Amino acid sequence: DGGITQSPKYLFRKEGQNVTLSCEQNLNHDAMYWYRQDPGQGLRLIYYSQIVNDFQKGDIAEGYSVSREKKESFPLTVTSAQKNPTAFYLCASGQGPNTEAFFGQGTRLTVV
Amino acid sequence: KNEVEQSPQNLTAQEGEFITINCSYSVGISALHWLQQHPGGGIVSLFMLSSGKKKHGRLIATINIQEKHSSLHITASHPRDSAVYICALYSGGGADGLTFGKGTHLIIQP
């Protein structure tokens, strides 16, 4: 079945360590997105990519990095520069702005 | 930047009740999405609409472009409808993702 796979579902890291969250899609979508969700807040856009080898910063890109070497994959690295990394991270994909959005199951990152 | 307001923030109802969740926004949009987030965190797209009304099973979504307002209705609500319902907008001008409301936490009691 087509869909988006995020892994792992839960992730624990020590403060100061970089960590990479995986997002893979087999929907043949051009656009992929990373969002962050905090309690009591709406999802916020971290990075997005419209095409392979190209990506753009979203509203809260500081402390994060991404790559888009393959159409299917859009990994997110949470660096030690991110001051408050503990959050729920969601990956999404789509064929464009006026098309249905597809979401992964999310990764809950806890930094201790 | 588009501001998205959802109401109510929390809603508890009895099984069988008719449920309405509202979403208002400040800037004209290209498309509005209604999403459902279950306790595990994964999000499912329920509707995407840019005008009028859509129906899927017991769920109905409406949008009024002039009033910048959308509603999600659930008929004959059931405990399995308990979830967070999120309104999200795309305002146009490039593939820069969606702007999300904070969500409505719905609990349907048996």
Side-chain angles (χ1 to χ4, degrees), chain A residues 38-109:
Chain A
D38 295 284
Q41 296 193 40
L43 279 75
R44 293 179 290 168
L45 181 65
I46 304 172
Y47 268 98
Y48 66 98
S49 168
Q50 298 181 44
I51 197 168
V52 173
N53 293 322
D54 184 60
F55 46 84
Q56 305 295 328
K57 293 182 178 180
D59 299 322
I60 55 166
E62 185 175 349
Y64 299 99
S65 66
V66 293
S67 63
R68 187 85 187 275
E69 296 177 1
K70 299 186 297 181
K71 188 174 186 178
E72 307 79 39
S73 179
F74 191 40
L76 173 75
T77 297
V78 184
T79 75
S80 56
Q82 168 50 234
K83 298 194 184 316
N84 187 17
T86 294
F88 186 64
Y89 292 88
L90 277 157
C91 178
S93 72
Q95 284 289 50
N98 290 331
T99 62
E100 185 179 359
F102 291 80
F103 290 83
Q105 291 299 304
T107 293
R108 190 166 298 280
L109 173 64

Side-chain angles (χ1 to χ4, degrees), chain B residues 26-77:
Chain B
S26 57
V27 178
I29 62 170
S30 298
L32 183 144
H33 300 249
W34 280 103
L35 310 169
Q36 180 190 56
Q37 184 173 32
H38 278 283
I43 289 180
V44 175
S45 177
L46 298 175
F47 296 101
M48 188 197 75
L49 65 166
S50 53
S51 65
K53 174 180 174 179
K54 286 189 175 181
K55 185 176 188 293
H56 184 254
R58 296 181 293 106
L59 301 178
I60 303 166
T62 64
I63 188 167
N64 185 318
I65 297 297
Q66 287 74 29
E67 294 187 3
K68 297 184 177 62
H69 180 268
S70 176
S71 293
L72 177 68
H73 306 284
I74 305 175
T75 62
S77 60

